[in-house]
Amino acid sequence: MNQYLAKYHEEIQRIQKNVMEQEIGKIEEVGGLFAKTVQEGGAIFVFGASHAGIIAEEMFYRTGGLAVINPLFSPTLMLNTRPATLTSQMERLLGFGATLLDTSPAKKGDVLLLHSVSGRNAVSIDMAIRAKELGMHVVAITNLTYSKQVTSRHPSGKNLYQLADIVIDNHGDFEDSSVKLDNIAQGIGPTSSVVGCMIANLIVIATAAGLVELGMAPPIFHSANVDGGDSYNAKLFEQYKDRIHYM
C-alpha cells in the first residue's frame, strides 16, 4: 500500500480513538440534552456552512436517524452554488447567521448544533450569539487545535468554541490536513467530515438511548426502501409534526 494512503488511514484511526477517549463524556451530555429537549416538546436544529454542512445533511431525514433533527440550509452556503467561492464570501457576511436563525421556527428551549472546523467565520458566530439571545442551548463541533491558532472574523473577537454551552473537539490537525507529502508544504487528507459524521451519529445514538431511559420510543426513521418503511415514517411525521420543520 502507498505509504501516504496508510498514513491517512492511521490518522483517521488515531483521531477517532482520541474522540472516543476524550470527548465521549461531552457526546453523552449532548445526547442527554437532545433527549430532554425531545421529551419536553422542543426542537433540534443543526447548521454548518460549505463542507461543514455535510454534518447537517448526515443528521436529518435518513435511515437510522432522528426524525426531529432540523437542518438550517441556505443555497448560498452549499457547494452546489456557482461560483463555489460564493460560499466563502457568504460565511463571512456579518448578520447572515442571525438572519438564517430568525427566519427559522427556532425558539427558546430548542437546541442548536453548530459545526465549524475553524470556528472563525461570522455566519456560525452570529448564529450562536443569536441563539443564546433566544434562550436556546448551543452545541459546537469544532477543531480546537485549528481554531485556537486563527483570529476571529467577527467583531466580537470570539471564535465559536468561546460561545457554545458544550464544545466537542474533532481532534483534527491544523488546517484540517492530516498527511504531508515529501517536499510539498500544503497538507492533504481532511479528517473533519469522517470524524464529524462519527460524532454526529454518536450523538444520535446517545439521544436514542437517553429517550429510552426516559420511557420514550425514539423517533427513528426506517429505510424508505424496506417494506412498511414509508407507512412507519409517515406516522413519525404525523406524531412529531409540531417539531419537524423540513417537510
Side-chain angles (χ1 to χ4, degrees), residues 13-26:
Q13 291 182 310
R14 179 186 66 81
I15 292 169
Q16 289 177 325
K17 184 173 183 290
N18 285 341
V19 168
M20 292 303 295
E21 290 178 349
Q22 299 180 44
E23 305 301 318
I24 199 64
K26 291 181 180 178

Side-chain angles (χ1 to χ4, degrees), residues 56-127:
E57 294 190 54
E58 173 71 11
M59 293 188 77
F60 96 104
Y61 189 56
R62 66 160 304 146
T63 302
L66 287 168
V68 293
I69 292 183
N70 300 278
L72 295 171
F73 289 144
S74 169
T76 59
L77 293 171
M78 301 181 74
L79 291 166
N80 60 349
T81 193
R82 293 295 180 272
T85 51
L86 178 63
T87 61
S88 296
Q89 297 174 49
M90 294 304 296
E91 69 180 353
R92 301 177 189 183
L93 182 63
L94 289 176
F96 189 35
T99 299
L100 287 175
L101 191 63
D102 285 341
T103 53
S104 79
K107 64 184 186 308
K108 181 178 180 179
D110 290 343
V111 181
L112 174 63
L113 172 62
L114 291 163
H115 179 225
S116 176
V117 178
S118 73
R120 72 182 305 202
N121 286 309
V123 65
S124 294
I125 295 170
D126 272 329
M127 191 176 288

Side-chain angles (χ1 to χ4, degrees), residues 11 18 34 57 70 74 122 151 160 167 173 175 181 186 196 228-229 238:
E11 283 297 293
N18 285 341
F34 277 22
E57 294 190 54
N70 300 278
S74 169
T151 58
L160 179 60
V167 177
D173 296 308
E175 209 175 356
L181 303 180
Q186 175 59 47
E238 177 61 27

